[in-house]
Amino acid sequence: MPRLSGLRSVGHKLYTGELEYDFVGKKKRWYALSALILVLAVAGLLGRGLSQGIEFKGGAVFTVNKPGISVSQAHDAIGEFTGSHEPIVQKVGGDQVRIQIASKDTGNFNKIRDALSERLGVAPDKIDSELVGPSWGKEISNKALQGLLIFMVLVVIYLSIAFEWRMAMAALVALIHDIVITIGVYALVGFEVTPGTVIGLLTILGYSLYDTVVVFDTVKETTRGITKQNKITFSQAANRGLNQTLVRSINTSVVALLPVASLLFVGGGLLGAGMLKDIALSLFVGLAAGAFSSIFIATPMFADLKERTPEMRQLAKRVAQHRAAQAKAAARGEGDASAKPAASAAADADEDGNTDEEEGDGEPAAAGSSSRGTGSGGVRRQPSRNRSRNRPSGKRKH
């Protein structure tokens, strides 16, 4: 409970502005980190390339239903029919082994099935076989690409209408950032690209955009009427809005990642569910990249684009002038404070003097006047309001 209370306290301080982290001000650091991740992703994509499934290259799938068959046995049984293409052998559930042969030459399809039946000691009706042509995967790829382009165009139009075109450009860059990282991770880890991968890739676009729009909406509220004051710049106001939604963004991303992680590590890793693993990996990487880009890329980039406008440049100048004036005033205040002890000492010396005279007529104050004695026989100087009075000379009222 103390730890949860501490997290709630941090979230409250971020929302109220008591605690603030300068995400926008340190944008170069996040840009450099993002560039490094993108370089690794592109290097993996260009170097190793994507491992395409049989849905994209064509081939055959054999599912052997027999308890006790190991992956190595199935691999040895299919070895001579694969040629230069390495077969993919997976344990599916407890009693099934799935064998994929990615090859466009499927003329010996029946011969491979008969050989598996003989070598593994399985009846032919216990082997489920499926022949896949490459044209189907190509059609899926084209449809996915069309859907991606249409989605991005609609995103730009919507954000330009709801917010402004600079927000739309920042959100679009964040989306491309997430897609490239997800595809690069697939290339680096060597996961097979299947239609499930394409489905997961299209799904993460909505999650990434949702988080970005939530942050942008708060930034829009905190920067409304920003040019009517001269205390903070646009970037600082945008950073304040980002801090207010920071805890919400993190909580949303964690809640979304937990079930996806269970699909990836439990469903795909332990149960051997191939399609679930393909979808879960793209979702897991895409959601993590989307949470990163909405905080560290989209908002700093939008603030950077906005600061280039003439009105925001003028605002930055006014803020700088205001802060310089405050610094000078503070410096003068320190100087006045250091002079106060000397003035106080002079006033004390004046009160303790023995021969002070009234200013104006040069006469000493009468003993019976309202002046108080100092205890040493001297008289105190009359207040300034008495100096301008005209008293009759030589006459004193008794």
Side-chain angles (χ1 to χ4, degrees):
M1 288 301 295
R3 182 172 296 180
L4 292 176
S5 177
L7 291 175
R8 286 194 292 267
S9 176
V10 170
H12 177 73
K13 289 180 180 179
L14 287 171
Y15 185 81
T16 57
E18 299 178 43
L19 180 64
E20 187 170 322
Y21 189 82
D22 193 7
F23 293 102
V24 177
K26 298 180 179 179
K27 58 181 179 293
K28 292 183 179 179
R29 178 183 302 178
W30 314 127
Y31 290 167
L33 178 60
S34 180
L36 177 61
I37 298 174
L38 288 173
V39 167
L40 293 176
V42 173
L45 185 61
L46 298 178
R48 298 188 59 176
L50 292 173
S51 177
Q52 296 181 352
I54 62 172
E55 295 87 356
F56 297 95
K57 294 188 298 185
V61 181
F62 301 93
T63 304
V64 182
N65 298 278
K66 182 181 179 181
I69 297 179
S70 64
V71 173
S72 59
Q73 289 176 337
H75 190 279
D76 294 338
I78 201 69
E80 66 178 83
F81 298 100
T82 59
S84 59
H85 300 280
E86 182 68 18
I88 299 175
V89 183
Q90 295 175 319
K91 194 77 172 178
V92 182
D95 300 334
Q96 294 182 343
V97 176
R98 187 169 183 258
I99 305 170
Q100 298 183 43
I101 304 176
S103 175
K104 295 181 180 180
D105 184 14
T106 57
N108 54 355
F109 177 74
N110 293 328
K111 184 178 180 180
I112 295 174
R113 183 180 57 188
D114 294 340
L116 288 175
S117 174
E118 180 181 353
R119 295 176 183 180
L120 297 177
V122 183
D125 59 348
K126 294 293 183 179
I127 300 178
D128 298 330
S129 55
E130 182 182 2
L131 186 63
V132 180
S135 59
W136 185 78
K138 184 177 181 181
E139 183 178 356
I140 290 293
S141 300
N142 292 334
K143 294 293 184 182
L145 184 59
Q146 292 177 6
L148 179 63
L149 294 176
I150 293 174
F151 178 82
M152 288 186 171
V153 171
L154 292 177
V155 164
V156 172
I157 295 174
Y158 168 76
L159 291 181
S160 299
I161 296 174
F163 299 100
E164 59 174 288
W165 68 268
R166 294 176 185 85
M167 282 187 176
M169 294 304 298
L172 184 61
V173 171
L175 284 177
I176 296 174
H177 168 275
D178 301 341
I179 294 173
V180 173
I181 289 179
T182 305
I183 296 175
V185 169
Y186 258 85
L188 289 172
V189 302
F191 268 42
E192 191 178 65
V193 178
T194 64
T197 305
V198 177
I199 294 172
L201 191 65
L202 294 176
T203 305
I204 65 173
L205 301 179
Y207 279 101
S208 176
L209 183 64
Y210 167 77
D211 206 12
T212 302
V213 168
V214 168
V215 176
F216 279 175
D217 187 63
T218 307
V219 170
K220 180 181 178 181
E221 292 297 323
T222 56
T223 57
R224 180 171 295 172
I226 189 71
T227 57
K228 298 179 181 179
Q229 51 82 49
N230 59 354
K231 295 182 179 180
I232 59 173
T233 63
F234 182 88
S235 294
Q236 292 167 342
N239 187 75
R240 182 173 300 174
L242 179 57
N243 276 268
Q244 289 178 354
T245 57
L246 180 62
V247 175
R248 177 179 178 179
S249 298
I250 293 175
N251 290 339
T252 303
S253 301
V254 170
V255 170
L257 283 171
L258 287 177
V260 175
S262 66
L263 285 176
L264 178 61
F265 298 108
V266 178
L270 298 180
L271 301 180
M275 183 65 73
L276 283 179
K277 181 180 65 177
D278 298 335
I279 296 176
L281 179 64
S282 60
L283 285 176
F284 188 85
V285 177
L287 286 174
F292 175 85
S293 64
S294 63
I295 297 174
F296 298 99
I297 302 298
T299 304
M301 181 170 290
F302 166 63
D304 195 17
L305 292 173
K306 193 70 174 180
E307 288 284 8
R308 300 174 187 270
T309 60
E311 58 269 21
M312 295 308 162
R313 289 181 179 178
Q314 292 295 328
L315 174 62
K317 290 180 180 179
R318 295 201 309 270
V319 171
Q321 292 172 357
H322 176 72
R323 292 177 179 175
Q326 283 186 325
K328 290 180 180 179
R332 287 196 301 268
E334 292 178 0
D336 294 342
S338 63
K340 285 180 180 179
S344 177
D348 294 340
D350 184 62
E351 288 182 2
D352 293 335
N354 296 325
T355 57
D356 286 348
E357 297 180 349
E358 285 186 333
E359 294 179 6
D361 55 7
E363 295 182 359
S369 66
S370 61
S371 299
R372 293 184 293 114
T374 60
S376 58
V379 293
R380 189 173 180 179
R381 184 176 300 172
Q382 291 288 339
S384 59
R385 63 178 179 270
N386 295 329
R387 296 172 190 170
S388 60
R389 288 180 180 176
N390 296 322
R391 293 180 297 182
S393 61
K395 294 182 181 180
R396 191 178 300 272
K397 186 176 181 180
H398 298 283

